[in-house]
Amino acid sequence: MSGGERALYGPLKGYHHETYVFPLPGEPGAPGRTRWKCREPRRNLFWFDRRCFRSEEDLVRALSGHITRIPDVIDVGEFGLQKFIEGRTLGSRFSFSDVIPDRLIDQIVELFEELSAIDPEKLSVERSCVPEDRPSDGDTAGFLERLICFTEKQVYERNAHRFGGLFQALGVGEGAFSHLRRNVPGMAARPFGLLHGDLHRENFIVDPQDRLWTIDWELAMVGDPLYDLATHLYLMRYRPDQADEVTRRWCQAVEQVRPGSSRGWEEDLPRLLAYKKAQSVFTDVIRAALAVDARSAALSWWPLIHAGRKVQAVLARAREALELEHVPTHWQVMEALRKWARKDAARERREADPSRP
């Protein structure tokens, strides 16, 4: 499709896909010509989030005309290509300690407003979740229960044979889910809508004209709109004063478009944030463990130090949500990861050669 390897740029950094960027052959060679993304799902991935739509490209097509700044999609042969948005990610321009400028906050709020205006039942996009796994419109308690159930069954229990001992060493066990389920009863009813599901700084692209584009829609779902705000606040890590401002403006925007969308947010936003903090523990512990390579005789210390720091921080943020008795120190986390990595490397060697003791 690219016409030659010299035109390729990539692979881009990303967890879910291997992505390459290139101009199509025959397009004008002048600077500023359009480049496109070809994405292939990575094999044997751990999925940490529920998925609702079978094809991200089909969803992005359906959202054209409803969401102001999303990539175009074209078909080249059997492949759907997304337009590559030229610019920089929001995360590369502003650190967690920075205040995001008002001109960009305005566009984030506009995105939430546009999402609220979409009737998900009118989107002609094939769903991947079975009807039995879809709470009825407004059943926010059922929606949160399905999120907890997915993390419990598909992330924790499904991988307990490999990572269960590591979670136990870090003080996280099956009881975590009973703690989270205490937040389910009493949720206020809110009309369901389309959620992006992953609105963080690396999924916002700021182009040279200071326009904010939203990319990576693979985790989009239908559900409680307050969950999209909770996910956004947790992942963006705004300064407290700006988080309060974004929450206030979100409430105003969604209520104008779909009344009732912010109902009960004062009580329910902390419940959803508690789930996000807990979910990140299971996500980041597994990812950090996989980043520690113990297959060689000498375990590299820098990845271990980096992974330990990340896991210790996510455990600290989730201490109240998971009702942890204590948060292990950085050194204790590193030691737990080191021991796990040694055992996992031994397991791999046994599976590769069953005759080994």
Side-chain angles (χ1 to χ4, degrees):
M1 287 190 290
S2 66
E5 290 188 11
R6 290 187 177 182
L8 286 176
Y9 173 66
L12 303 185
K13 182 180 179 181
Y15 178 76
H16 296 105
H17 295 85
E18 183 172 347
T19 304
Y20 291 87
V21 176
F22 53 88
L24 291 174
E27 289 187 339
R33 60 178 172 169
T34 301
R35 293 194 292 173
W36 301 88
K37 292 193 300 185
C38 183
R39 312 178 77 198
E40 179 73 12
R42 298 186 187 276
R43 296 182 178 181
N44 302 319
L45 275 184
F46 289 91
W47 283 98
F48 303 104
D49 301 89
R50 296 178 70 205
R51 303 188 71 190
C52 188
F53 298 99
R54 291 196 181 279
S55 168
E56 180 189 359
E57 281 71 31
D58 287 348
L59 175 62
V60 173
R61 285 190 188 94
L63 294 179
S64 178
H66 298 281
I67 304 296
T68 303
R69 288 171 293 276
I70 55 173
D72 295 329
V73 178
I74 62 171
D75 291 314
V76 178
E78 60 182 294
F79 296 97
L81 305 182
Q82 292 189 38
K83 183 179 178 180
F84 179 71
I85 306 301
E86 305 287 349
R88 294 175 59 190
T89 67
L90 191 64
S92 70
R93 294 188 55 173
F94 303 98
S95 70
F96 291 135
S97 62
D98 292 330
V99 172
I100 306 298
D102 287 342
R103 65 184 183 276
L104 299 178
I105 295 295
D106 290 344
Q107 295 178 69
I108 292 174
V109 173
E110 180 188 4
L111 170 65
F112 280 122
E113 186 174 348
E114 292 176 337
L115 282 167
S116 297
I118 295 172
D119 183 349
E121 300 305 320
K122 294 182 180 179
L123 287 175
S124 56
V125 185
E126 186 178 2
R127 301 272 290 271
S128 57
C129 51
V130 296
E132 295 77 15
D133 195 36
R134 303 175 194 172
S136 58
D137 186 23
D139 181 10
T140 56
F143 178 76
L144 178 55
E145 170 60 32
R146 298 315 301 162
L147 292 173
I148 296 171
C149 185
F150 182 91
T151 303
E152 179 182 29
K153 303 297 183 183
Q154 299 301 319
V155 180
Y156 180 76
E157 292 183 2
R158 187 173 185 176
N159 301 297
H161 66 284
R162 186 175 180 188
F163 300 98
L166 175 58
F167 282 116
Q168 292 290 338
L170 296 172
V172 180
E174 295 178 358
F177 300 101
S178 63
H179 300 325
L180 292 176
R181 285 191 167 91
R182 295 175 187 172
N183 291 319
V184 173
M187 297 273 287
R190 287 174 288 273
F192 282 5
L194 179 68
L195 321 180
H196 179 281
D198 200 24
L199 290 173
H200 57 75
R201 294 170 187 244
E202 300 307 308
N203 282 344
F204 288 123
I205 306 297
V206 183
D207 72 12
Q209 289 75 45
D210 248 7
R211 295 175 299 185
L212 193 75
W213 297 75
T214 308
I215 63 171
D216 289 359
W217 291 79
E218 65 256 23
L219 300 184
M221 64 175 73
V222 175
D224 182 358
L226 190 61
Y227 177 68
D228 224 10
L229 174 65
T231 301
H232 176 66
L233 294 176
Y234 180 74
L235 296 177
M236 286 287 289
R237 292 170 60 184
Y238 290 110
R239 287 173 35 164
D241 56 336
Q242 192 158 44
D244 292 342
E245 177 195 355
V246 170
T247 301
R248 176 183 59 81
R249 294 190 60 185
W250 178 88
C251 290
Q252 293 174 346
V254 299
E255 284 295 332
Q256 289 177 356
V257 176
R258 186 170 293 186
S261 294
S262 68
R263 185 183 299 117
W265 74 268
E266 297 96 334
E267 294 78 22
D268 291 351
L269 182 57
R271 304 184 192 202
L272 293 167
L273 283 170
Y275 166 73
K276 290 305 301 181
K277 293 173 183 178
Q279 182 201 29
S280 290
V281 167
F282 296 101
T283 300
D284 289 353
V285 166
I286 291 178
R287 286 185 174 179
L290 295 174
V292 177
D293 187 0
R295 288 172 294 182
S296 60
L299 201 159
S300 176
W301 278 98
W302 172 242
L304 191 59
I305 293 170
H306 178 73
R309 186 178 296 119
K310 184 173 184 179
V311 169
Q312 202 273 339
V314 78
L315 285 168
R317 288 195 291 270
R319 179 172 186 172
E320 184 177 347
L322 294 175
E323 299 186 24
L324 300 177
E325 292 185 4
H326 72 280
V327 176
T329 65
H330 183 203
W331 177 260
Q332 288 172 331
V333 173
M334 287 175 55
E335 183 65 7
L337 286 169
R338 186 189 67 81
K339 289 181 177 179
W340 175 87
R342 294 293 193 199
K343 290 181 179 179
D344 196 61
R347 176 192 58 81
E348 286 189 356
R349 289 192 293 269
R350 287 194 302 270
E351 291 179 354
D353 184 3
S355 64
R356 293 177 65 109

